[in-house]
Amino acid sequence: MLDLSFLLFGRGNYQIDWNKIMLKINDLHAVVGEARSQILTGLSLKVPAGEVHAIMGPNGAGKSTLSYVLTGRDDYEVTEGTVELGGQNLLDMEPEERAASGLFLSFQYPLEIPGVPTMTFLKTALNAQRKARGEEEMGAPEFLKKARALAKELKIKPDMLKRPLNVGFSGGEKKRMEIFQMMMLEPSFIVMDETDSGLDVDALRIVADGVNSLRSPDRGMLIITHYQRLLDYITPDKVHVLAGGKIAASGDADFAKLLEKEGYDKYAA
Amino acid sequence: MVGVMNIINQLPHRRMEAWKWTDVSRAVPEGMPGLSLAMAPRFTPPAGISVMQGEGATSDTVMGKLAANFAGQSWNFHVPANTHPADSLLIENLISGHGRITIKLEKGASLTVVEHHKGADKSFANIDMQIHLAEGAKLTRILVHDDPETATRISTASLTAEKDTKFEQYVLSFGGALFRLETRLYGKGEGIEAHMNGAYLLSGDKHTDMTSHTELSHPNCHIRQSVKGVVTDKARGVFQGKFHVEKEAQHTDAEMRHDALMLSDRAQIRSKPELEIYADDVACAHGNTIGALDESALFYMRQRGIPLAQAKALLTEAFLASVFDDMADEDMKASLMKQINQWLEASYGF
Ligand SMILES: Nc1ncnc2c1ncn2[C@@H]1O[C@H](COP(=O)(O)OP(=O)(O)OP(=O)(O)O)[C@@H](O)[C@H]1O
Ligand SMILES: [Mg+2]
């Protein structure tokens, strides 16, 4: 296990009723793009605080779509249904407000941000969130100290933190950088979209250790993946199949093994 | 002397090819303050360099001739051979009227000129600068421009550059009712090195035109030019650049870029990069892009908690920063970036 005890410091003094943090999706319908293709067709899902749920499902089923709907991306329009996070109506909020209220998405394809050094980006993000929550900004020394310690734990080379975010990073490096950002921002609800894809065995272990260290009674997680190998490290409380635009089946951790063996044919719409 | 009444007829207008996107005549109402007056600039020269009034060098541009008519004598600066003043020549108070400035660098001399072009409401300003760089001389020119939305300004610099000279130019313009910055570089020897960079950031109804003309007639010259622009609201950005490379100018290595961000449907960008090449063994290129901020990148930043306006500002700043990357004077660079930041804060609203 990594020693991530330093993350416990510097959370400021704002009060959140952690017990309330929970994702509640009810009958969600969403259309995507100019063509307004119907991708989600009545998806319902509840993730209680403290639990980790996995979502599996065939390519094109709408898993990434769900992650974008949750985070409020333009072009992903909710036509029916509700989404609540910690009792707040998520769908009424701007993407940055959702982030400040604790929602984090580890992107399937992290974006390159040319010209903005990773550290500048992250410090801006962290302090923007703090400001939105009415907390005091984190000063440069504290931020640097925390970032350096975490980078070391995640085996991220210090010079990568000076480079523009994700620009020219390898696929695996980008994923590792997502985890780095996630652990710096300490979100209360985490969505990971295929964070394991493209990771070598060592990186997978580092990422999984990081994720496990964030598991806590106050935090919920939704892990989108195609592979059992990630779930070998991060044991989910529940596993769901997303097919035909909804949750087609659910089970416990062993369900993932069955899915990997049998495929999704029987859940096809 | 040209009469006051007919000066408007003499101003460049859009039916002239070089002024088709910057119609001075239309932007200037009769009786505009400064139209027929001499300018009263304030100079802070470095130690050992003094201002002298005199004939000055003559100009053959339309605006240069008008300046000669109304400005009277030229303000002249002379940097003796192999002198390297530690401080810059600071030029301010270029508020309204016509002004002429002549700068001569003798062999191996160097100088940094810092100009602040800032006018008054409804004012007209026309500055003509004539620069001569003798063999091995080096000039750095930094120009910051910020006019009210009602002020018109034309600033022309013509340089003759001899063998092995260096010219570096950094321009930052926040626009005016109409602003034309024209840089004319005439190579008179081998091995000239010139970097001419600029950025314009325009909001409201502002207009900035960065026009340049580079003529090379000797071998082994190295030219780099990069102009970047951001336009919002109904602002208009103009870029015109020309490299004219004579048959004798072999092994010229010249590159011109103009990249602009258009952040509103009503804003405009006009650009005309031109290469006129008569030498056969040269590397000359130009590039021109007009784009918007990357929506996916903006969403990614917002997902991390960065508010939209701030995300836009960060991306815009990153886009512009390369223009000033090579500036040797770090303090000056920081000051320019700070002004860019202030503009972004005010224009994007955060
Ligand atoms: N902007 C868009 N415009 C139109 N269709 C889109 C758009 N974005 C996604 N889609 C479509 O929505 C469907 C669901 O895509 P999504 O990316 O959510 O699938 P996924 O389950 O994440 O698949 P994978 O396992 O391959 O990552 C696909 O058919 C895709 O082509
Ligand atoms: Mg996907």
Side-chain angles (χ1 to χ4, degrees), chain A residues 30-49:
Chain A
V31 295
V32 179
E34 272 179 29
R36 295 174 57 86
S37 329
Q38 185 85 43
I39 308 297
L40 301 181
T41 57
L43 186 147
S44 297
L45 178 68
K46 280 183 193 164
V47 184

Side-chain angles (χ1 to χ4, degrees), chain A residues 32-33 37 39 57-66 76 108 194 226:
Chain A
V32 179
S37 329
I39 308 297
N59 293 130
K63 302 183 296 298
S64 294
T65 300
L66 173 63
Y76 290 77
Q108 182 173 2
E194 297 198 23
H226 285 294

